Amino acid sequence: MNLRSSWVAETGQTREDTRLTQLGATTPANPLDVRSGILPGSYDGLYRLAGFWMEGGAGTMSATVHEGRAVVQADSNQGAYPVTLAEPMSLTFADGDASYARIDVVVLRIYDDQYDDSGFTKAAIEIVKGTPAAAPEVPQLPGIVLPVYQVRVRAGSSAGNGGVNWNDEVTDLRTPTVAVGGILPVVGETGNGAYPGQYRDSGGALQRWDGSAWVGYPSALGGIAPAGAATTASYTGQYRDGSDGTLQRWNGSSWVSYQRVPTWANYTPVWYSSTGAAPVVGNGSLNGRYVKLGTLVHVRVRLAIGSTTNLSALDAAGAWSVSLPSPPATGWMTDILLNVVGYSSNGFRFFQGTGQLSANNGGVATRFTVASGTAAASGGWTKAAPYTWQSGDVLSIWGSYESAS
C-alpha cells in the first residue's frame, strides 16, 4: 500500500509505517525526506548543540560521547530513524600506525536487517577506522550513518605516547535538526532550505530561505542585507552591502550600484606656515565644509583673523597653506588650482589669488598674483603679502579637486 498511516490499524502497523509518518523533530529536506541531525539544546542554555558531544581523555586514546537525541534519514522509502543516547558512552580509538597518520570518523550508525541483512536492528555509535597514509583521507562511511566527529590519529600515538591530541586533531561534524517550522540553529553546514519561508539563525542573525538563497530577515522591512548574505533579492528595491563596500540595489534582475545623494559636511582645517612659528587662530575662526562623491571633492575654507591670532609671531617669509578634507591625487597637483580671495577690512579691499594642491600636509598652498605693468609677479600669501594682514581680515578658499581615494 502506497499511502501509509501511523495509527495502529486492524491490519497492524509496521516499523516502516512509523518511520515514514513521523512528524515530530524533523526539519524537511524535500516532500518525503527529512534532515538528518541532532536535536539542539544544552542543560544550561549556553550552547546551541550539546547532544552527542565527544570529550577526550587527556593523554589517552579514549573518549566519552555524551547523551543526546538525533534523527537519521535513510532512503526515501525507508524513512527516518529517531535515536536517543540516554547516558554517556565510552569509545576507544586504535593506536596509531608506526609510520603514517590516519583519519577516523565517529558515526551514529543504523542497522536494519530488513534492508541490510546485517542480522541487527539497532542504532550504534561506532568508529569508522581510516587507512594510514602519507596524506590520509576520510574513510568511506558504511550504510546509514550520521557523522559526529572526525579524528586524526597521529603516527605512533598510543595511551603511553601522548594519546590523541583532542584540542587540535578533532573536527566537530555535528549538525542540528528541529521540528517542522522551527528555526534551525546554524552549526556547521546547513545546506539549502527546503521551502520558501523557512528560517535559520546564522551567527546571531535571522535568515529566511527565499527559494534560491538564505537572505537576511526582515527583508520586507527594508533591511540592508550584509555583504555576502544575499545572492538573489526577494523584491525589486531591496538593498545590500556590496563586497566592495558600496550600497547596491536590486533592479528586478541584477544588483546595481546605488548612488547616494551627497551632502555637505564640516571639517576642521589646519593652518600651516612654510617657515617660522606655526599659526595660531586664537579668537579668530577657521572652518571648512566639503562634499565628497567618489574621488570628486568640493571644498570651502574660511579663515577669519582675530585680535589674538598670532600674526606678530609669524615669519614674514612664511607662506600659508591649509589642509584639505581628503589628500589630493598626486598626479594632478600642479595642474589643479583652487580659488583664493583675501578680504582686507582696512579699506574694504579684495585680493584675488590661487591655491595650488600640495603634497605637504595633504593640503593646498595659497598663492597670489599681482599685476605690475605688462608683467605679473606672484608669491605665497604671508602675513605681509599681498597686503599686511590684521584683525577682521578674511581669507576664503574654494573649488573642486580629485582626491587620492
Side-chain angles (χ1 to χ4, degrees):
M1 183 174 66
N2 291 330
L3 186 62
R4 299 176 182 270
S5 64
S6 59
W7 60 86
V8 181
E10 293 180 0
T11 56
Q13 177 178 321
T14 67
R15 295 192 302 270
E16 194 175 70
D17 290 334
T18 302
R19 293 191 303 271
L20 287 170
T21 55
Q22 67 159 322
L23 301 175
T26 53
T27 300
N30 57 48
L32 197 56
D33 293 347
V34 301
R35 171 186 171 83
S36 293
I38 296 169
L39 274 65
S42 59
Y43 289 114
D44 51 14
L46 292 177
Y47 305 99
R48 290 175 179 249
L49 205 60
F52 294 90
W53 169 56
M54 188 175 73
E55 179 182 19
T60 73
M61 303 295 291
S62 299
T64 300
V65 178
H66 291 271
E67 60 272 23
R69 293 181 297 165
V71 175
V72 184
Q73 174 68 47
D75 291 338
S76 296
N77 292 329
Q78 191 172 340
Y81 293 78
V83 175
T84 297
L85 177 63
E87 56 186 29
M89 175 180 174
S90 296
L91 294 175
T92 300
F93 292 81
D95 290 346
D97 180 74
S99 302
Y100 298 111
R102 72 172 191 272
I103 295 176
D104 293 351
V105 180
V106 178
V107 299
L108 177 56
R109 183 175 181 181
I110 301 299
Y111 290 88
D112 193 335
D113 185 60
Q114 182 179 349
Y115 296 94
D116 57 23
D117 296 323
S118 62
F120 302 105
T121 301
K122 66 176 185 178
I125 297 178
E126 299 179 346
I127 298 173
V128 181
K129 185 179 178 181
T131 301
E137 297 181 354
V138 177
Q140 183 175 354
L141 303 182
I144 306 167
V145 298
L146 175 65
V148 180
Y149 281 91
Q150 180 177 299
V151 179
R152 185 177 187 274
V153 180
R154 292 172 291 113
S157 59
S158 65
N161 191 26
V164 174
N165 186 341
W166 301 106
N167 292 328
D168 300 325
E169 297 182 331
V170 177
T171 303
D172 191 346
L173 303 178
R174 296 174 302 161
T175 54
T177 190
V178 294
V180 175
I183 296 175
L184 186 69
V186 175
V187 178
E189 175 54 48
T190 63
N192 292 338
Y195 56 90
Q198 185 177 4
Y199 291 89
R200 74 177 187 180
D201 181 6
S202 177
L206 191 61
Q207 295 181 334
R208 179 183 182 275
W209 180 256
D210 69 356
S212 61
W214 292 104
V215 297
Y217 181 82
S219 59
L221 299 181
I224 298 174
T231 303
T232 303
S234 300
Y235 57 90
T236 300
Q238 184 178 0
Y239 291 90
R240 75 173 184 181
D241 185 11
S243 59
D244 59 354
T246 60
L247 186 63
Q248 296 178 337
R249 181 182 184 275
W250 182 257
N251 65 6
S253 59
S254 62
W255 293 101
V256 295
S257 294
Y258 176 74
Q259 192 73 35
R260 69 181 187 273
V261 177
T263 57
W264 285 88
N266 295 322
Y267 88 101
T268 303
V270 180
W271 182 16
Y272 297 99
S273 177
S274 62
T275 185
V280 177
V281 177
N283 63 357
S285 62
L286 177 57
N287 307 105
R289 294 271 287 169
Y290 76 102
V291 61
K292 189 174 188 294
L293 186 60
T295 58
L296 174 63
V297 181
H298 302 286
V299 63
R300 299 195 298 247
V301 177
R302 181 180 185 275
L303 168 63
I305 304 298
S307 60
T308 62
T309 302
N310 68 335
L311 290 176
S312 60
L314 299 182
D315 192 319
W320 293 353
S321 63
V322 295
S323 64
L324 294 171
S326 184
T330 56
W332 298 94
M333 285 187 180
T334 58
D335 301 318
I336 303 301
L337 301 177
L338 303 187
N339 299 295
V340 178
V341 168
Y343 165 72
S344 173
S345 58
N346 182 17
F348 308 106
R349 294 175 297 168
F350 291 90
F351 296 80
Q352 189 169 3
T354 57
Q356 186 175 28
L357 300 186
S358 170
N360 295 330
N361 307 311
V364 53
T366 56
R367 301 186 65 80
F368 68 88
T369 300
V370 179
S372 175
T374 58
S378 67
W381 292 62
T382 71
K383 72 172 187 178
Y387 61 92
T388 300
W389 289 78
Q390 63 180 17
S391 177
D393 293 353
V394 176
L395 175 66
S396 297
I397 304 171
W398 75 96
S400 304
Y401 70 95
E402 179 186 356
S403 66
S405 60

